Amino acid sequence: MSLRLGTFNIENLMTRFDFSGWRNRLRQDRVLQLYDVQDKAVYQQLEQARMIAETDDTRQLSALAIAEADADILCLQEVDNMPALQAFEYGYLYRMVGNGYRQKYLVEGNDGRGIDVAVLLREETRGGERIEVVDVRSHAMLTYQDLDLFNEELALSNRPYDKIFKRDCLELELKIGSKPLLLYVVHFKSMGNAREGTDGRTGTMAIRMAEARAVRRIVERRFGEGQTADRNFAICGDMNDYQEKVQVIGNRREGYRFEPRREEKSALDVFSDDAFVVNPVTRRDVMDRWTLYHARGPEEQHLCQLDYIWLSPALAAHNAGSVPEIIRGGQPYRTIFPPVQEVERFPRIGWDRPKASDHCPVVMSLEIA
């Protein structure tokens, strides 16, 4: 029986207005900085109008990206709350796709901005198999000491009783037809900003590594250590780390060249070093695995995979011929594509906004044995 499984960081699917730019100019949107606004009430009215206008375009594009992915089960990151998810699914996704996701799951997690992981599920797969949710578990309350994960690196910025997951590890026990599938949805710690002589990725590596170890412990507790290889499970989400990247070198006037580079260390090595799980995106060409374009000026540009569908060895072996799709039509025009990878962008895509998200959805077809 065939199932399409996808993951997408939808980027700030919010129900709240952020007025912090009134006091902190660094948080003020660039368009409002063009105007001399002296009154707080006026500023708030302008910010509301700006956000409402921008959001409609953005969510149409998000819905188009999800429609193109056409997943039976879609894992989402950066969702504000259930009302936001319901409003988006009905007002945008259902209207554009014509076949909605009636099953929705979200548990409030630990993120300071209030963004959570969520899952949308159809009632049936495209092939007519019933998708049944047997159980849903949040692991947001787990601490480092609960799983004996605290170490010297973590001690630099954390305490033993701090929560491991910066959002959550949401676990869904599913039945696809009569076949079992365990799904784990995560959104790991962001790479943050450079500080104290280290880059943001290195400075936050220990936290993501602990999150990855925690996910692995949760799976091993579920099935038994050493008993996971022949089980059906997948770990999906934005993991905010990469094991390789494509360095983008050059500029628009002189042209670009693209160089793939392997990272010496990644939090995701916890998953891959002993083949605990398999990243099927590596079945794509090394230049064509990216889900996000990162740029901090012309001297720091790269393409990398932050969004993953990790498969258990059994699930990967049973689907050895299946290659994940990466939906890039919602990327803004500022994203630099390697040769022959350019795609037709969705209508109304802008230079850097509006866009579907800064991330690309990843989706693949799976046979569940």
Side-chain angles (χ1 to χ4, degrees):
M1 58 190 66
S2 182
L3 167 77
R4 280 181 68 81
L5 175 63
T7 185
F8 183 32
N9 182 329
I10 198 169
E11 191 184 12
N12 293 327
L13 180 59
M14 308 293 278
T15 59
R16 296 164 284 136
F17 295 107
D18 181 2
F19 299 126
S20 59
W22 171 249
R23 294 191 176 277
N24 183 354
R25 190 172 175 82
L26 294 176
R27 295 180 62 87
Q28 189 174 118
D29 187 80
R30 67 193 184 204
V31 72
L32 288 181
Q33 292 184 21
L34 295 173
Y35 297 91
D36 183 18
V37 182
Q38 299 293 329
D39 183 85
K40 183 177 181 181
V42 172
Y43 171 82
Q44 291 180 339
Q45 290 174 346
L46 291 171
E47 175 62 16
Q48 288 173 335
R50 182 195 71 80
M51 275 302 300
I52 290 170
E54 179 183 318
T55 297
D56 185 54
D57 280 340
T58 298
R59 293 315 160 202
Q60 288 189 56
L61 296 168
S62 301
L64 283 172
I66 292 171
E68 187 167 324
D70 194 24
D72 298 311
I73 300 175
L74 181 67
C75 307
L76 292 174
Q77 300 85 52
E78 296 201 15
V79 180
D80 194 3
N81 49 38
M82 185 58 77
L85 187 59
Q86 290 171 330
F88 169 72
E89 191 273 338
Y90 179 73
Y92 289 85
L93 195 52
Y94 175 71
R95 289 174 181 268
M96 299 180 75
V97 179
N99 183 9
Y101 292 85
R102 295 195 176 184
Q103 302 186 81
K104 307 174 185 68
Y105 294 90
L106 179 151
V107 178
E108 295 291 334
N110 301 320
D111 186 86
R113 290 197 296 133
I115 54 174
D116 300 305
V117 299
V119 185
L120 294 175
L121 308 95
R122 301 193 195 279
E123 294 181 304
E124 292 183 345
T125 68
R126 288 292 187 184
E129 298 289 343
R130 184 184 175 201
I131 300 174
E132 179 185 356
V133 179
V134 179
D135 192 20
V136 178
R137 300 181 184 181
S138 167
H139 297 282
M141 300 307 293
L142 284 175
T143 68
Y144 295 116
Q145 84 187 350
D146 287 337
L147 295 184
D148 194 24
L149 291 174
F150 199 68
N151 57 35
E152 291 182 1
E153 283 185 287
L154 289 167
L156 297 174
S157 58
N158 296 269
R159 296 161 295 185
Y161 48 83
D162 284 345
K163 295 180 178 65
I164 300 170
F165 295 110
K166 299 311 167 188
R167 283 89 182 186
D168 194 2
C169 173
L170 188 62
E171 177 181 350
L172 276 74
E173 180 182 352
L174 307 173
K175 281 189 178 179
I176 314 300
S178 60
K179 305 298 183 181
L181 174 66
L182 263 291
L183 185 61
Y184 298 88
V185 188
V186 299
H187 184 187
F188 285 172
K189 168 70 177 173
S190 67
M191 286 183 264
N193 299 314
R195 63 178 183 178
E196 297 178 2
T198 64
D199 64 272
R201 179 171 177 265
T202 301
T204 55
M205 180 80 71
I207 297 174
R208 283 189 302 281
M209 195 163 286
E211 289 179 303
R213 287 173 178 147
V215 174
R216 181 164 179 162
R217 295 268 180 93
I218 289 166
V219 176
E220 289 172 338
R221 284 184 173 185
R222 179 78 187 221
F223 296 120
E225 191 169 352
Q227 305 298 314
T228 61
D230 60 350
R231 304 301 183 114
N232 286 342
F233 69 90
I235 306 167
C236 300
D238 173 4
M239 301 190 184
N240 270 317
D241 211 340
Y242 48 87
Q243 295 177 306
E244 59 191 13
K245 65 184 177 183
V246 176
Q247 197 73 37
V248 181
I249 303 165
N251 56 58
R252 288 171 59 83
R253 182 170 60 83
E254 297 174 355
Y256 297 100
R257 71 179 193 273
F258 302 86
E259 296 182 0
R261 298 180 182 177
R262 184 78 183 177
E263 295 296 313
E264 291 184 6
K265 182 179 180 182
S266 168
L268 304 178
D269 298 342
V270 172
F271 289 157
S272 64
D273 275 353
D274 59 352
F276 171 68
V277 284
V278 175
N279 176 15
V281 168
T282 59
R283 297 170 184 173
R284 299 173 66 98
D285 184 81
V286 67
M287 296 285 286
D288 195 24
R289 300 170 183 171
W290 60 273
T291 67
L292 180 132
Y293 167 67
H294 169 82
R296 197 184 299 273
E299 301 303 316
E300 186 182 341
Q301 302 177 88
H302 66 255
L303 300 158
C304 62
Q305 182 188 2
L306 294 189
D307 306 274
Y308 295 82
I309 300 174
W310 292 92
L311 301 178
S312 66
L315 208 51
H318 191 69
N319 293 275
S322 181
V323 179
E325 302 165 41
I326 301 174
I327 310 301
R328 298 184 177 132
Q331 283 288 290
Y333 280 97
R334 69 184 287 270
T335 299
I336 301 168
F337 283 65
V340 310
Q341 290 186 27
E342 280 282 356
V343 297
E344 183 179 354
R345 306 303 212 282
F346 301 145
R348 296 178 65 83
I349 287 285
W351 173 249
D352 66 345
R353 69 184 188 194
K355 60 184 183 296
S357 170
D358 49 353
H359 294 250
C360 301
V362 180
V363 63
M364 70 180 301
S365 295
L366 298 170
E367 293 292 326
I368 309 297

